[in-house]
């Protein structure tokens, strides 16, 4: 179906084929006219040569017209065997075309060359570094998070969390994780806030239970020193002890207190031991494993998962939520890494190339089947039309050359035979 020029994407090819076909046919008609005209010319050597040349030109033009036409349709509509080759062999043609494209166009060497020229890592880096481009991707990924979370069966997710967490934290990796968290905690100075909170709680407890502590200390002195010592000095010593404790706690408040500094030094030492002492790491792992394996902790972890899932689902639906901001930040960091680290770009390109090369055999087979299927599903006229539009113009030159070569060959053969035998029988 040819279609109108406004809707036919092959209109230019169709017009070019029509022009060249008219040229080839016109030359064949001219050659036939020349042949007829020779019969009205005076007899002689040159007339006979021209007539022989014209005959050979007509035969050559007709033979090539028949050959070209037989590729795409039956000449003159006659059921001649081995004509309309392309329509009749479209399935085999599709399979051959698919194998050719898959085996000779989409090759391993070509894939490597294209990837090397594209520099996919640079393209990805430019995308990630552009907030306007990466923000929609972050929003899309965040939007899919609720569906991913909804696809997780709650009971299964909880049981998996309860089983995995104790195993993760019970080995050396757990101790290293605790050490990294504590080191970041100390580096940010947040450990002093914890220390201040603990000191504050101790002071509050001492204030609230001062009378009970005074009585307990006096009782202890009486038990250790006897009733007389307890009666004479028990209350006084209890007051002094409580006063001394409160005085030391008051000294802890300034940022440069010795006790606060000692706490920080002790914490850093413990962090070093976690990272270097296998026994201490194993001990921490046992404590964490036992704590996380407790049924109460398991219930708490399940509740944490439920709350976390709900919060993530609600937040992911907001374009200004933390999930989108986190994903955008991750994209920006990845873009900065690729921009600043040529080795990272090279590794990414190598990884992409490796994946594509491993997938190439399967892709080649699927591409071959796809092309064969597409061509096989075309109707015969469509196949012939599409192929003829793309190669028909060159095939018209075959017709033109056949006419010209036949004309020249006929004249040369006439001259040779006349020279050898003295004449040519007609």
């Amino acid at each position: 179906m040819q279609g109108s020029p406004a809707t036919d994407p092959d209109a230019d090819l169709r017009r070019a084929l029509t022009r060249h076909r008219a040229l080839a046919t016109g030359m064949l008609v001219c050659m036939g006219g020349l042949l007829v005209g020779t019969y009205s010319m005076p007899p002689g050597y040159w007339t006979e040569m021209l007539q022989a040349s014209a005959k050979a030109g007509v035969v050559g033009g007709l033979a090539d017209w028949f050959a070209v036409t037989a590729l795409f349709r039956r000449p003159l509509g006659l059921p001649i065997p081995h004509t309309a080759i392309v329509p009749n062999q479209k399935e085999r043609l599709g399979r051959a075309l698919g194998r050719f494209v898959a085996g000779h166009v989409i090759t391993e060497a070509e894939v490597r060359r294209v990837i090397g020229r594209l520099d996919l890592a640079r393209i990805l880096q430019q995308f990630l570094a552009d907030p306007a481009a990466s923000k929609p991707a972050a929003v899309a990924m965040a939007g899919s998070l609720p569906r991913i979370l909804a696809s997780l069966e709650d009971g299964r997710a909880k049981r998996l969390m309860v089983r995995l967490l104790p195993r993760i934290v019970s080995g050396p990796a757990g101790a290293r994780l605790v050490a990294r968290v504590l080191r970041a905690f100390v580096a940010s100075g947040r450990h002093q806030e914890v220390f201040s909170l603990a000191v504050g709680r101790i002071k509050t407890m001492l204030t609230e239970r001062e009378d009970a502590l005074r009585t307990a200390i006096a009782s202890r002195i009486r038990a250790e020193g006897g009733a007389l010592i307890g009666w004479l000095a028990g209350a006084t010593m209890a007051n002094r002890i409580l006063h001394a404790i409160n005085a030391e706690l008051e000294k802890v408040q300034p940022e440069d207190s010795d006790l606060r500094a000692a706490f920080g030094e002790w914490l850093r030492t413990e962090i070093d031991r976690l990272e270097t002492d296998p026994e201490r790491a194993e001990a921490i792992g046992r404590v964490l494993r036992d704590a996380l394996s407790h049924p109460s902790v398991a219930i708490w972890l399940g509740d944490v998962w439920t709350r976390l899932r709900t919060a993530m689902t609600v937040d992911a639906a907001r374009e200004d939520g933390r999930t989108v901001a986190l994903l955008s930040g991750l994209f920006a960091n990845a873009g900065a890494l690729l921009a600043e680290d040529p080795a990272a770009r090279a590794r990414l390109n190598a990884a992409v190339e490796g994946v594509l090369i491993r997938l190439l055999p399967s892709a080649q087979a699927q591409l071959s089947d796809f092309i064969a299927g597409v061509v096989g599903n075309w109707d015969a006229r469509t196949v012939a039309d599409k192929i003829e539009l793309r190669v028909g113009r060159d095939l018209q030159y075959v017709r033109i050359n056949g006419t010209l070569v036949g004309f020249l060959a006929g004249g040369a053969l006439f001259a040779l035979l006349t020279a050898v035998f003295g004449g040519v029988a007609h």
Side-chain angles (χ1 to χ4, degrees):
M1 186 168 136
Q2 294 186 355
S4 64
T7 59
D8 186 5
D10 296 326
D12 292 338
L13 293 175
R14 206 176 300 280
R15 285 192 293 269
L17 176 60
T18 301
R19 288 196 303 270
H20 286 80
R21 183 182 288 157
L23 176 61
T25 303
M27 182 168 291
L28 178 59
V29 171
C30 291
M31 194 63 63
L34 179 61
L35 174 61
V36 173
T38 57
Y39 284 95
S40 61
M41 296 174 63
Y45 178 83
W46 295 110
T47 299
E48 293 178 356
M49 174 180 284
L50 183 59
Q51 188 178 87
S53 299
K55 288 179 180 179
V58 170
V59 172
L62 286 173
D64 286 335
W65 166 82
F66 182 90
V68 170
T69 302
L71 286 174
F72 306 105
R73 61 188 63 83
R74 296 188 183 278
L76 303 177
L78 300 176
I80 303 173
H82 305 295
T83 57
I85 295 173
V86 170
N88 291 333
Q89 300 294 330
K90 64 185 180 72
E91 285 81 7
R92 188 174 68 179
L93 175 65
R95 291 193 297 271
L97 181 61
R99 288 194 299 269
F100 174 80
V101 173
H104 296 84
V105 178
I106 313 299
T107 62
E108 180 175 334
E110 185 65 16
V111 170
R112 293 184 186 277
R113 185 184 68 82
V114 171
I115 293 176
R117 185 176 60 189
L118 286 179
D119 192 2
L120 296 177
R122 174 66 68 180
I123 296 174
L124 179 61
Q125 177 265 316
Q126 293 174 349
F127 169 78
L128 294 176
D130 183 4
S134 61
K135 179 67 177 292
V139 172
M141 290 185 64
S144 65
L145 184 61
R147 292 190 295 273
I148 296 174
L149 294 175
S151 66
L152 296 175
E153 191 273 318
D154 281 355
R156 185 183 306 168
K158 292 177 181 178
R159 290 193 297 271
L160 182 63
M161 183 186 301
V162 171
R163 286 199 303 267
L164 287 182
L165 278 180
R167 297 179 184 179
I168 292 173
V169 302
S170 62
R176 288 194 296 269
L177 177 61
V178 172
R180 283 197 295 269
V181 172
L182 290 177
R183 192 175 294 281
F185 199 63
V186 171
S188 65
R190 302 297 295 274
H191 66 295
Q192 295 296 350
E193 296 180 13
V194 175
F195 188 73
S196 298
L197 179 62
V199 170
R201 293 301 302 167
I202 292 174
K203 290 173 63 178
T204 301
M205 183 192 69
L206 289 175
T207 301
E208 293 175 349
R209 304 187 60 185
E210 184 174 355
D211 293 338
L213 289 171
R214 185 181 294 109
T215 302
I217 294 172
S219 299
R220 187 65 179 175
I221 292 173
R222 187 181 303 111
E224 296 293 334
L228 181 61
I229 297 297
W231 179 74
L232 293 174
T236 302
M237 292 183 67
N239 286 331
R240 288 183 178 181
I241 291 173
L242 291 174
H243 178 74
I245 293 175
N246 286 322
E248 289 299 323
L249 291 176
E250 289 296 333
K251 295 179 182 179
V252 174
Q253 291 303 313
E255 295 297 329
D256 59 350
S257 69
D258 294 338
L259 189 57
R260 190 181 293 274
F263 172 71
E265 184 62 30
W266 171 81
L267 195 54
R268 281 186 283 270
T269 302
E270 288 300 313
I271 292 172
D272 292 337
R273 292 185 63 185
L274 281 175
E275 293 178 333
T276 59
D277 187 350
E279 294 183 0
R280 176 56 61 89
E282 178 62 25
I284 292 294
R286 285 196 302 270
V287 172
L288 293 174
R289 182 177 63 248
D290 294 342
L292 293 175
S293 298
H294 194 278
S296 299
V297 177
I299 296 174
W300 175 77
L301 288 175
D303 183 64
V304 168
W305 164 252
T306 301
R307 293 174 182 271
L308 179 63
R309 171 185 157 179
T310 302
M312 292 174 65
T313 301
V314 173
D315 183 76
R318 299 170 48 207
E319 291 193 9
D320 59 344
R322 293 183 178 180
T323 304
V324 173
L326 176 61
L327 291 173
S328 298
L330 291 175
F331 288 163
N333 291 338
L337 173 64
L338 292 175
E340 298 169 0
D341 190 352
R345 294 198 301 272
R347 288 193 297 270
L348 179 58
N349 281 330
V352 173
E353 180 179 300
V355 170
L356 292 179
I357 293 303
R358 285 193 293 272
L359 295 177
L360 184 59
S362 176
Q364 287 175 322
Q366 294 185 24
L367 178 62
S368 177
D369 293 342
F370 173 76
I371 294 175
V374 170
V375 176
N377 289 331
W378 285 342
D379 64 88
R381 289 186 59 187
T382 301
V383 173
D385 185 62
K386 287 183 178 296
I387 295 178
E388 186 177 17
L389 286 176
R390 283 152 182 82
V391 302
R393 185 176 64 176
D394 294 325
L395 293 177
Q396 301 311 309
Y397 282 109
V398 171
R399 292 178 56 194
I400 293 172
N401 292 334
T403 303
L404 292 176
V405 169
F407 177 82
L408 296 175
L413 186 61
F414 175 85
L416 177 63
L417 293 176
T418 299
V420 173
F421 299 106
V424 179
H426 295 285

